[in-house]
Structures are given as structure tokens and as C-alpha cells.
Amino acid sequence: MIKTINGHIKRRFWLAAAILFILTFAIISSRSATVKKAAVATKKEAREEPKATSAFASYVENIFQNAGLKTSGLDYSVFQKAITGYYNLKQNKALPQSSSIITVIDFNKASTEKRMWIVDLAKKQLLLNTWVAHGQGSGELMATEFSNKSDSHQSSLGFYVTDNVYYGKHGRSLKLDGMDAGFNSNARARAVVLHAADYVCENTIKSLGRLGRSFGCPAVSPEVSNKIIDLIKGKNMLYVNANVDGYTSKYLNEGFIASFAAPADSAISITQN
């Protein structure tokens, strides 16, 4: 009788052990399958995201190299920010779709350097690289202080859209609309315009060790002012950059990059330097 009972107990034990083993195997298999699916999904997303991102990066790199912007001294990261703003401005209908000329001013560089670039994105061509002055209140050799306030005599950072030509106290000049609220949105009220100034020249650099300074306008040499105005007038982008704390812009939003597709006419091979 005792042997029979022990036999039943052993059978029940092994049956329970077998059931427990089967359940454990099933749970592990299920979890493994879930992990594999998640890993596959993650890998797929990882493959797709860089592909979308790389389309924009390739487009920017294509222009940067073909236009010789590295050789001219323009920093790649600054150019990328400018292009990001350009496409956001177009998405916000602040620029016409026909616009392909952008102007970049980099106030990270000293006024003795040619820190203004005008680029034709459609032709992947650097049209002009020249000097540009900053405001008296922004600094001497370097621009380090920026403002959106009247009478500050400081330059203002951010994205602008060029408007119409007019004749004022500096002669033929170009009106600018500041697009970044709180940073350059008072450009019209402050009469911040692009104009010619005699103090933007090599002789001034030789005598002062820097360019002359404006009241906050991006002033350029009289020798090239008309050329600049004719190139960038009429709803084109101008971007003023500097690495300072506090500057933000909705036009630096990279949300469009995931669905970015390069323009059809941009398939020019990248020139290796």
C-alpha cells in the first residue's frame, strides 16, 4: 500500500515537473520572440531614420563641397543651420519657392575676416565672400553682444528675409525683415538695413586693426554693395549667426529632415577636396 502511494506521488511529481518545464519553455520562447520582433523593429527604424537624415546631410554636404565653402572659411555647422532655417522659412511660406539665394553672416569670426557668404543653392555656387561690419554696441574686433532693442547700436542675431531697395542716408540700401521674435523682430523699427559704408575696407583694417562699426546694420563695402543688393533683394534669406547663450529660433526646427527629399536638380556629384 505504501509503495503504491509512493508510486502515485512520484508520478504526480514528474507530471507536475513536466508541465512546469513546458510552461517555462513556452514563456521563454514567447519572450524571446517578442524581443526578436522588437529588435527587428528597432533595427528597421534605425535603418530608416539614418537614411532619411542622410538625405539632408548629403544634400548639405553636396552644396558645401561643390561651392567651395570650406575653402572660403565658412564653418559647416553654420551652413547647415542656415539651410535648416531656409527650408523652415519655405515651409512657413516666408520665402517663395523660387528663392534659391541665401546669405550667411558668421559673427563668430573677427571683423578682419570675410565673414559674409552669398550662395546660390540651385547652382551650388558661392557668389560672393566679403567683409561685413557689426554694430558699435556689439564689440570691437569681435561681436559678442546682441540686441533687438532700439538705440542699442548692437547687431541682431537670427533669420531675416530681404525686401525692397530704397535710397536713404547711406545711399542705395536694402530693407530687412527680422523673423525671430525677441531677437531681430524690431529690425524695421530700428531701421536695420543692409547698406554701404566707407569704413568697411582693407584700409580701415590696416589702420584700426578691425573694420569700422555700424549702428547695428550689416554694413558692407561700397565696392560691392550694389552687387550684394542686386543678388539678395526681393524675398531671400539672410542668416546672422553667433554662438551665444539664449538664442533660439523656431526656424532651426529639424522636424522636416525625416521626410526631406533633395530637389530634383541637385544630383551633382560631390567633389572630393
Side-chain angles (χ1 to χ4, degrees), residues 105 107 133-138 143 145-160 176-188 190-193 214-218 238-242 244 247:
I105 296 173
F107 282 147
H134 57 253
Q136 293 177 1
S138 289
E145 302 290 332
F146 303 93
S147 176
N148 194 35
K149 295 180 180 178
S150 297
D151 301 321
S152 66
H153 293 180
Q154 293 182 9
S155 298
S156 300
L157 298 178
F159 292 95
Y160 296 79
L176 304 173
D177 287 312
M179 307 305 293
D180 282 321
F183 294 98
N184 63 13
S185 50
N186 289 333
R188 285 276 187 160
R190 295 178 62 202
V192 172
V193 300
S214 68
F215 277 10
C217 297
L238 184 150
Y239 172 55
V240 179
N241 176 77
V244 296
Y247 171 70

Side-chain angles (χ1 to χ4, degrees), residues 216-237:
C217 297
V220 296
S221 169
E223 293 182 359
V224 293
S225 63
N226 282 328
K227 179 179 181 179
I228 291 172
I229 289 171
D230 288 337
L231 283 173
I232 72 174
K233 66 182 179 181
K235 305 302 179 184
N236 286 297
M237 187 199 82

Side-chain angles (χ1 to χ4, degrees), residues 245-257:
D245 293 336
Y247 171 70
T248 58
S249 174
K250 67 180 182 179
Y251 300 108
L252 290 176
N253 175 23
E254 297 182 342
F256 73 93
I257 291 177

Side-chain angles (χ1 to χ4, degrees), residues 108-125:
N108 289 327
K109 298 183 181 294
S111 64
T112 51
E113 298 183 60
K114 292 184 176 181
R115 53 186 180 173
M116 171 189 273
W117 294 262
I118 301 175
V119 182
D120 187 326
L121 299 180
K123 295 180 179 179
K124 297 176 176 57
Q125 182 179 355

Side-chain angles (χ1 to χ4, degrees), residues 78-142:
V78 175
F79 182 62
Q80 187 175 44
K81 285 194 286 185
I83 298 292
T84 299
Y86 167 79
Y87 275 99
N88 275 302
L89 284 164
K90 280 200 167 185
Q91 283 192 340
N92 281 270
K93 302 190 185 315
L95 288 176
Q97 290 303 310
S98 59
S99 170
S100 66
I101 307 294
I102 68 168
T103 304
V104 181
I105 296 173
D106 188 6
F107 282 147
N108 289 327
K109 298 183 181 294
S111 64
T112 51
E113 298 183 60
K114 292 184 176 181
R115 53 186 180 173
M116 171 189 273
W117 294 262
I118 301 175
V119 182
D120 187 326
L121 299 180
K123 295 180 179 179
K124 297 176 176 57
Q125 182 179 355
L126 175 61
L127 303 178
L128 190 67
N129 175 211
T130 189
W131 294 287
V132 60
H134 57 253
Q136 293 177 1
S138 289
E140 296 193 6
L141 176 64
M142 302 288 298

